[in-house]
């Protein structure tokens, strides 16, 4: 049963992007990698002036599919496509992500991650576009310390790279 789910995820994450520059709304399906897991998910994006703000939900593939523990990630951000040509779009991206994971099935303690990334988003093609995102930035991991009964926080650098499937409407 796990193999068909994995094949469906790989098939749906093919990295092609369909978009139209005249469209104001779009749905993005992404397959990406971070420091903690491979993530796949959906984003809703809307063009507002020069900015393209988005919100989305992703799930960690390794932990959700193979370890059967949901690893959700919620994200907000915006893109500013400085170059909007007929064949390609390119510009900076700012993303905040929040994810949590119950690392031990026998307890109710969750690890939480806050991520703030800056990077670039690139789309190429006419009606059928190939897209990718490369981001880097700050990550804070918060988890309960069983010895002190306090929350520990670890600060580190992070990264995010993804390929996209985008449908504009």
């Amino acid at each position: 049963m796990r193999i068909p789910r994995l094949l469906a995820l790989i098939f749906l994450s093919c990295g092609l992007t369909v978009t139209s520059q005249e469209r104001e709304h779009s749905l993005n399906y992404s397959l990406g990698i971070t420091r903690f897991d491979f993530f796949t998910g959906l984003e809703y994006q809307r063009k507002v002036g020069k900015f393209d703000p988005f919100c989305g939900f992703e799930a960690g593939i390794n932990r959700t599919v193979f370890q059967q523990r949901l690893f959700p990630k919620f994200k907000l951000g915006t893109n500013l496509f400085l170059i909007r040509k007929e064949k390609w779009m390119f510009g900076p991206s700012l993303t905040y992500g929040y994810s949590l994971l119950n690392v031990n099935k026998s307890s109710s303690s969750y690890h939480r991650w806050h991520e703030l990334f800056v990077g670039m988003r690139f789309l190429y093609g006419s009606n059928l576009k190939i897209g990718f995102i490369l981001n880097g930035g700050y990550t804070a991991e918060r988890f309960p310390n069983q010895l002190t009964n306090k929350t520990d926080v670890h600060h580190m650098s992070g990264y995010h790279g993804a390929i996209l499937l985008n449908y504009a409407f």
Side-chain angles (χ1 to χ4, degrees), residues 94-118:
L94 176 66
T95 306
Y96 167 77
Y98 172 78
S99 54
L100 67 147
L101 174 67
N102 188 354
V103 294
N104 187 347
K105 286 186 178 182
S106 64
S107 75
S108 61
S109 64
Y110 285 87
H111 282 230
R112 293 169 172 81
W113 290 271
H114 297 272
E115 301 168 327
L116 185 59
F117 292 147
V118 176

Side-chain angles (χ1 to χ4, degrees), residues 109-110 142-153:
S109 64
Y110 285 87
R142 302 173 59 89
F143 57 92
N145 185 324
Q146 302 300 325
L147 297 174
T148 63
N149 266 348
K150 294 184 181 179
T151 300
D152 286 347
V153 180

Side-chain angles (χ1 to χ4, degrees), residues 24-87:
E24 289 190 12
H25 305 272
S26 65
L27 289 175
N28 298 318
Y29 181 80
S30 65
L31 175 67
I33 185 171
T34 69
R35 185 179 189 130
F36 308 108
D37 205 344
F38 293 96
F39 280 88
T40 185
L42 293 171
E43 290 177 0
Y44 168 74
Q45 182 173 308
R46 180 170 186 212
K47 186 173 180 337
V48 179
K50 292 184 177 188
F51 294 94
D52 293 74
F54 61 87
C55 62
F57 173 81
E58 295 180 338
I61 295 172
N62 271 349
R63 293 189 172 89
T64 302
V65 176
F66 298 113
Q67 297 177 7
Q68 298 181 353
R69 290 181 287 150
L70 182 63
F71 188 15
K73 177 193 240 181
F74 305 95
K75 61 184 183 174
L76 297 169
T78 190
N79 302 306
L80 174 61
F81 289 111
L82 298 174
I83 302 172
R84 289 182 188 260
K85 300 288 184 182
E86 185 177 326
K87 290 275 189 185

Side-chain angles (χ1 to χ4, degrees), residues 14-20 26-30 81 89 121-132 162-168:
C14 63
L16 298 176
T17 299
V18 180
T19 189
S20 170
S26 65
L27 289 175
N28 298 318
Y29 181 80
S30 65
F81 289 111
M89 297 164 66
R121 188 174 285 218
F122 176 79
L123 301 171
Y124 178 77
S126 54
N127 286 337
L128 192 61
K129 294 189 185 244
I130 296 171
F132 67 87
I163 53 178
L164 301 173
L165 175 68
N166 175 307
Y167 176 71

